[in-house]
Amino acid sequence: MSLVRLKIKGISYSQTQNGAYALILNEVEGDRKLPIVIGAFEAQSIAIALEKEIKPPRPLTHDLFKNFADRFDIVVKQVIIHKLVDGVFYSSIICERDKVEEIIDARTSDAIALALRFNAPIFTYRTILDKAGIFLKFSSKEKEKEEIDDSIVVDEILQEGETVEIDPGSQAPYKELSMDELRKELEKAVASEDYEKAARLRDEISKRK
């Protein structure tokens, strides 16, 4: 089976359920997206890894794994999303130490959080992308609607039976804040280790760039 390389497009939030997240992956040489429902903690960890300006005062779990691996000369070479069963994605982390390769089973969200920290490529099999990928092609006028469409994707896959841990916290009205206010709030959120809030603020800042 042939492998298809994926890149991270971003994290989308559900329009109808607070605390529901989906990681949106794009095939590198194509227009299909692979949406994967993930938990709140993993969404925060991935969002922080994507945003280089966010520096947590203490290492998150995935940062700790990276520090541990660096100390013992373990390198994550690549991540492969190798199986899809009943809507659940299964992944493998390909590691190397002393030129010996090991394959470690992992949740897809954890595997991708680590891939980001090691700058490792992410792959899936073409058969999985054919089965679960969503083909969305936009004209130049439709590009601005892409973020909304991603949120619709989250709601659709949640309705199909996917479940995530829901955070009862309400969404802050970040759209009312200026860019300077958003950046100040982001700094406060990181300092207080409120990474879910930081991820949302980072998402709002990214939308405006």
Side-chain angles (χ1 to χ4, degrees), residues 17-19 21 166-172 196 200:
Q17 295 191 42
N18 288 344
Y21 305 85
I166 303 301
D167 186 338
S170 59
Q171 295 183 17
E196 181 170 3
R200 290 183 180 277

Side-chain angles (χ1 to χ4, degrees), residues 119-184:
N119 293 317
I122 302 165
F123 297 93
T124 191
Y125 289 109
R126 190 170 300 280
T127 52
I128 292 177
L129 195 57
D130 290 341
K131 181 178 180 181
I134 297 172
F135 185 83
L136 293 173
K137 193 169 185 179
F138 299 93
S139 66
S140 57
K141 292 182 179 180
E142 292 173 324
K143 277 286 185 183
E144 60 200 45
K145 300 179 182 178
E146 190 168 0
E147 185 65 35
I148 297 175
D149 289 336
D150 285 344
S151 299
I152 294 172
V153 167
V154 183
D155 293 330
E156 286 180 348
I157 56 182
L158 286 172
Q159 290 172 2
E160 290 173 2
E162 293 286 355
T163 58
V164 296
E165 181 180 349
I166 303 301
D167 186 338
S170 59
Q171 295 183 17
Y174 300 135
K175 292 181 180 179
E176 305 296 326
L177 301 179
S178 67
M179 284 293 284
D180 287 340
E181 290 172 328
L182 285 171
R183 291 192 177 97
K184 289 179 181 178

Side-chain angles (χ1 to χ4, degrees), residues 2 13 15-16 18 20 22 60 71-72 76 86 92 96 118-119 127 131-133 136 155 177 193:
S2 59
Y13 306 103
Q15 295 285 316
T16 60
N18 288 344
L60 301 180
R71 182 66 60 89
F72 291 95
V76 171
D86 296 329
S92 295
E96 185 178 275
F118 283 89
N119 293 317
T127 52
K131 181 178 180 181
L136 293 173
D155 293 330
L177 301 179
E193 300 186 23

Side-chain angles (χ1 to χ4, degrees), residues 187-200:
E187 291 177 2
K188 291 179 183 178
V190 173
S192 62
E193 300 186 23
D194 185 350
Y195 298 122
E196 181 170 3
K197 182 178 180 181
R200 290 183 180 277

Side-chain angles (χ1 to χ4, degrees), residues 40-53:
F41 171 77
E42 291 77 14
Q44 295 167 37
S45 182
I46 291 170
I48 287 171
L50 288 169
E51 182 53 71
K52 304 301 182 184
E53 295 178 3

